[in-house]
Amino acid sequence: MTQNQGPTTFPSEDLLNRVCWDEDGLVAAVAQDFKSGRVLTVAWMNREALRESVGRGEAVYWSRSRKRLWRKGEESGHVQRIVELRLDCDADALLLKVEQTGGIACHTGRESCFYRRLEDGRWVATDPVLKDPSLIYRK
Amino acid sequence: MTQNQGPTTFPSEDLLNRVCWDEDGLVAAVAQDFKSGRVLTVAWMNREALRESVGRGEAVYWSRSRKRLWRKGEESGHVQRIVELRLDCDADALLLKVEQTGGIACHTGRESCFYRRLEDGRWVATDPVLKDPSLIYRK
């Protein structure tokens, strides 16, 4: 999965079967910027989302709130191209090393969704908004 | 949370209330090595685990399999000292930047739990075992 264009590999059923899907058919999926190492997002994948992610070479998640596949960047353009995909020891979490289009992963217009830091007993928004969300999500 | 010794801060109820616990009272917690940036583990916290993590300055998780608090390193000695704690935009995932005692986070004796990589359509264990688990978990 090192090419610039997907689809790269169509995943086998065996590959998907080796993942320990939870009772809702999901696993946690962490996206990390492959250059900076910054953790960008934590989202969810079901079997179909992983299948499509591997096939396209881009992150596709399962939106628990919208109850549908969520092709990351489908509205914002902020696609996550998968550079490397890893599975953890319990096979119930995935790590995606990604190239983050636009350098913005968060719907608030920030680089990372983890923009709040614990400081003096409070969650403090420490990271700058790089782009006004109203300019990202035009309807 | 930059001292070497906990406890550092006793978290307020307000701090805990700002986290969106799921229907099981849990959130995903990603631990990342604060120096190398390597993602080490994905685990779970409930309210009590977060309270204790902040209080001790060390990662305490909720073990879904054992259904009890899991003070990371309680058997292995591989404690995760919290250097920084972050909350994501939806407040349903935590990011811990940690100093990983022993340089081993995984129960298999590897640095990271994410030691399997997708290669040619298969999950391949690519990372070395740094210490025999039988030497880590002596009963």
Side-chain angles (χ1 to χ4, degrees):
Chain A
M1 306 188 73
T2 51
Q3 290 77 31
N4 276 312
Q5 292 149 329
T8 53
T9 309
F10 199 83
S12 66
E13 292 306 307
D14 179 65
L15 182 89
L16 301 170
N17 289 341
R18 288 181 186 273
V19 177
C20 291
W21 309 101
D22 73 9
E23 57 193 9
D24 297 320
L26 303 176
V27 289
V30 179
Q32 179 180 33
D33 186 289
F34 87 108
K35 281 187 189 159
S36 69
R38 183 93 196 254
V39 174
L40 302 174
T41 53
V42 170
W44 302 88
M45 284 194 193
N46 62 5
R47 194 176 175 94
E48 192 54 34
L50 178 56
R51 190 199 309 274
E52 197 171 313
S53 292
V54 174
R56 295 164 68 104
E58 295 176 354
V60 177
Y61 300 112
W62 175 257
S63 169
R64 294 182 302 174
S65 56
R66 289 175 285 181
K67 299 189 193 311
R68 66 166 179 85
L69 285 180
W70 164 36
R71 293 169 187 88
K72 172 72 180 165
E74 62 190 8
E75 291 181 55
S76 63
H78 295 154
V79 168
Q80 294 178 331
R81 186 179 68 82
I82 301 172
V83 178
E84 188 176 296
L85 186 56
R86 286 179 173 260
L87 181 66
D88 81 345
C89 52
D90 298 328
D92 63 357
L94 294 162
L95 174 63
L96 293 75
K97 297 193 184 178
V98 303
E99 181 182 51
Q100 176 62 61
T101 304
I104 295 174
C106 185
H107 74 286
T108 64
R110 294 177 172 92
E111 179 188 6
S112 165
C113 292
F114 291 93
Y115 62 83
R116 288 184 283 188
R117 193 165 64 186
L118 181 61
E119 292 185 0
D120 299 326
R122 293 184 308 123
W123 301 113
V124 179
T126 55
D127 298 4
V129 173
L130 302 177
K131 189 171 180 179
D132 186 326
S134 69
L135 300 176
I136 299 173
Y137 301 94
R138 298 168 191 260
K139 286 286 180 184
Chain B
M1 307 189 70
T2 52
Q3 291 77 30
N4 277 312
Q5 292 149 331
T8 51
T9 310
F10 200 84
S12 67
E13 292 305 307
D14 180 64
L15 181 87
L16 301 170
N17 289 341
R18 287 180 187 273
V19 177
C20 291
W21 310 100
D22 74 9
E23 57 192 10
D24 296 318
L26 303 176
V27 291
V30 179
Q32 179 180 33
D33 187 289
F34 86 107
K35 281 186 188 159
S36 69
R38 183 92 196 254
V39 174
L40 303 173
T41 52
V42 170
W44 301 87
M45 285 192 190
N46 62 6
R47 193 176 176 96
E48 192 54 33
L50 178 57
R51 188 199 311 274
E52 198 170 311
S53 292
V54 174
R56 296 165 67 102
E58 295 176 353
V60 177
Y61 301 112
W62 175 257
S63 169
R64 294 182 301 173
S65 56
R66 290 175 284 181
K67 300 189 191 312
R68 66 167 179 84
L69 285 181
W70 165 36
R71 293 169 187 88
K72 172 72 179 164
E74 62 191 8
E75 291 181 54
S76 64
H78 295 154
V79 168
Q80 295 178 331
R81 186 178 69 80
I82 301 172
V83 177
E84 187 175 295
L85 186 57
R86 285 178 173 260
L87 180 65
D88 81 345
C89 52
D90 297 328
D92 64 358
L94 294 161
L95 174 63
L96 293 76
K97 296 192 185 180
V98 303
E99 182 182 49
Q100 177 62 61
T101 303
I104 295 175
C106 185
H107 74 287
T108 65
R110 294 177 173 90
E111 179 188 7
S112 164
C113 292
F114 291 94
Y115 63 82
R116 289 184 284 188
R117 192 165 65 184
L118 181 61
E119 291 184 0
D120 299 326
R122 293 184 307 125
W123 300 113
V124 179
T126 55
D127 298 5
V129 173
L130 303 177
K131 189 171 181 179
D132 186 328
S134 70
L135 301 176
I136 300 173
Y137 301 94
R138 298 169 191 259
K139 285 286 180 184

